Amino acid sequence: MAVEWHPAQRWLHWATAGLVAAGFALAWVMTSVPFRQMALKFWLYQAHKSIGLLALLAVVARLMLRARLGRRATDLPPREDALAAAGHAVLYILLLAVPLLGYLTADTAPLRIPTLFLGLLPLPVVLGRDAALFGVLVTLHRVLAIGLVVLAIGHAGLALRHHAAGRGVLAAMLGRRSAL
Amino acid sequence: MARLIFLAVLLMTAGTARAAPGLYAFDQRHGTIGFNVGHFGLFTSEGGFERFSGRLTIDPARLEDTRVEVTIDAASVAIAVPEAASMLKAPDYFDVTQHPAISFGATSVERRDDTHFHLRGQLRIRGITREQAMEIAILDRHADGSGSEVADVVASGEISRGDFGMVADRSFIEDVVRLRISMRIRFGAAVNGG
């Protein structure tokens, strides 16, 4: 069990948080922009898609680092520690599932609009246009994304609570000296 | 009874008449009218019309005498996204309330080779008539099982939407719209046999 996070883990954690927040905010904006503002809508969707894929890459990198470095030790009672581990597992699952579902949502959409990663690199079509599947995916992507954000807010709230209780988890994630 | 037999023989003869000149009616059951337009290299949108009717006067032996008239129900414009379909029906585009029909009438056909023709005609969209050229290809001409001659007639051309007053959204939708009309014509099944 690792005592501290590797700087790359800390950096990737905050990058993931920023990407999830930006992706979620963009989702609201891009779906509210009227259809006739097509160019704006197009680029907002592209930005949303790139942000989601960057989040996916960040999460994959984090899981690889965690597999190599192990889980950071906590000073929580065993029951709370197990709950925290379960919460983190669900966060990781959603962080993987939401961008993957987003990719497939774009992939099966009625208009063949490419996904241009970072506005440049066209990504391959996996399933292709499928109206029925698109209907399911768009809902699933949205519901799980809301779930992810709710869970992330809970995660942040608990981190603040631990911080208030004098545990050094937040300080450690910010790269300050851990009280652990 | 004798009359019925005579009629049956007549129909069979008409059905097997090969390469007979004739007038052919066609509509959405015989093929498709599609279009596509680019979005400045980012992607291409495709659409079509679900209701149309046309008359083709064609003599397989003298294809250069071909005449075509097509009327399209503008309100039948179809595209995968509902917002896009509504936009295309609205005044900025086909303005289907004011101009319910799109029409095309060919005025000359020039033979390029046995299967390719250059067709000129008048295209009317939103009440504006413009000269329109189309390239015609007669594809896969063959006799079917019943002895009728069947061919796919594919007409393709490009229009400038701006020429017809459709100037909206120029920052995202290119001016040139490519048309592709594809019809399967059964030459033995002329409407009037001649």
Side-chain angles (χ1 to χ4, degrees):
Chain A
M1 217 177 242
V3 176
E4 284 307 334
W5 284 297
H6 187 277
Q9 286 179 295
R10 286 191 277 109
W11 191 88
L12 284 165
H13 166 268
W14 292 113
T16 310
L19 289 166
V20 168
F24 195 73
L26 259 178
W28 280 105
V29 176
M30 76 189 192
T31 50
S32 312
V33 166
F35 183 76
R36 289 303 292 276
Q37 286 175 259
M38 282 172 266
L40 176 64
K41 208 170 173 71
F42 175 85
W43 288 113
L44 287 173
Y45 269 80
Q46 292 298 333
H48 173 81
K49 294 197 258 190
S50 290
I51 283 169
L53 291 168
L54 285 173
L56 180 64
L57 291 177
V59 171
V60 169
R62 286 174 67 188
L63 287 171
M64 286 166 71
L65 281 169
R66 191 180 152 123
R68 178 183 282 191
L69 303 171
R71 182 171 175 246
R72 181 182 172 273
T74 72
D75 58 351
L76 292 170
R79 193 170 155 274
E80 271 188 56
D81 190 48
L83 279 173
H88 293 156
V90 177
L91 268 173
Y92 277 119
I93 289 167
L94 290 176
L95 283 168
L96 291 170
V98 172
L100 286 172
L101 287 168
Y103 190 94
L104 293 177
T105 303
D107 195 62
T108 53
L111 277 183
R112 283 197 199 117
I113 298 177
T115 296
L116 303 170
F117 185 54
L118 303 177
L120 293 168
L121 181 69
L123 296 180
V125 173
V126 180
L127 300 171
R129 198 157 37 180
D130 185 331
L133 196 53
F134 172 74
V136 175
L137 287 168
V138 83
T139 307
L140 204 56
H141 175 60
R142 183 183 297 146
V143 169
L144 292 187
I146 292 168
L148 171 61
V149 169
V150 169
L151 205 59
I153 291 168
H155 170 75
L158 286 169
L160 288 171
R161 212 183 82 174
H162 290 313
H163 184 71
R167 293 193 189 95
V169 64
L170 183 59
M173 193 49 100
L174 287 164
R176 292 176 197 148
R177 196 173 171 79
S178 170
L180 188 69
Chain B
M1 189 66 188
R3 256 183 95 179
L4 270 177
I5 292 167
F6 173 73
L7 193 65
V9 169
L10 195 72
L11 283 171
M12 278 164 66
T13 314
T16 53
R18 275 220 188 173
L23 169 69
Y24 301 88
F26 61 86
D27 60 29
Q28 58 277 356
R29 292 169 299 177
H30 302 91
T32 56
I33 296 183
F35 59 82
N36 70 68
V37 64
H39 300 280
F40 298 98
L42 297 170
F43 68 106
T44 303
S45 292
E46 292 168 8
F49 292 95
E50 290 180 338
R51 289 185 299 278
F52 54 86
S53 60
R55 288 148 57 95
L56 171 71
T57 310
I58 190 166
D59 178 350
R62 288 182 56 80
L63 288 166
E64 60 272 26
D65 289 343
T66 299
R67 289 292 173 265
V68 189
E69 285 162 33
V70 187
T71 303
I72 300 169
D73 177 357
S76 75
V77 64
I79 192 158
V81 173
E83 293 99 322
S86 305
M87 180 185 94
L88 291 178
K89 290 174 194 170
D92 278 353
Y93 288 87
F94 290 108
D95 195 7
V96 301
T97 313
Q98 293 298 312
H99 305 286
I102 296 168
S103 62
F104 177 76
T107 51
S108 77
V109 178
E110 207 177 289
R111 182 181 176 279
R112 296 214 191 278
D113 60 40
D114 282 351
T115 54
H116 293 85
F117 300 83
H118 181 74
L119 187 140
R120 291 198 159 276
Q122 300 285 315
L123 177 62
R124 187 172 177 82
I125 303 175
R126 298 172 96 242
I128 300 168
T129 305
R130 294 266 188 258
E131 175 100 349
Q132 179 65 43
M134 300 286 277
E135 297 300 325
I136 311 286
I138 314 277
L139 306 172
D140 194 24
R141 191 171 161 183
H142 66 280
D144 72 1
S146 68
S148 299
E149 192 165 356
V150 173
D152 289 325
V153 180
V154 176
S156 49
E158 290 185 346
I159 73 159
S160 153
R161 65 186 181 99
D163 282 356
F164 297 93
M166 294 188 274
V167 294
D169 309 306
R170 278 187 148 158
S171 65
F172 199 64
I173 303 176
E174 287 169 25
D175 183 60
V176 173
V177 180
R178 288 167 292 277
L179 296 175
R180 185 182 160 93
I181 301 169
S182 180
M183 293 297 144
R184 171 148 285 201
I185 302 293
R186 185 179 300 271
F187 288 120
V191 172
N192 64 0

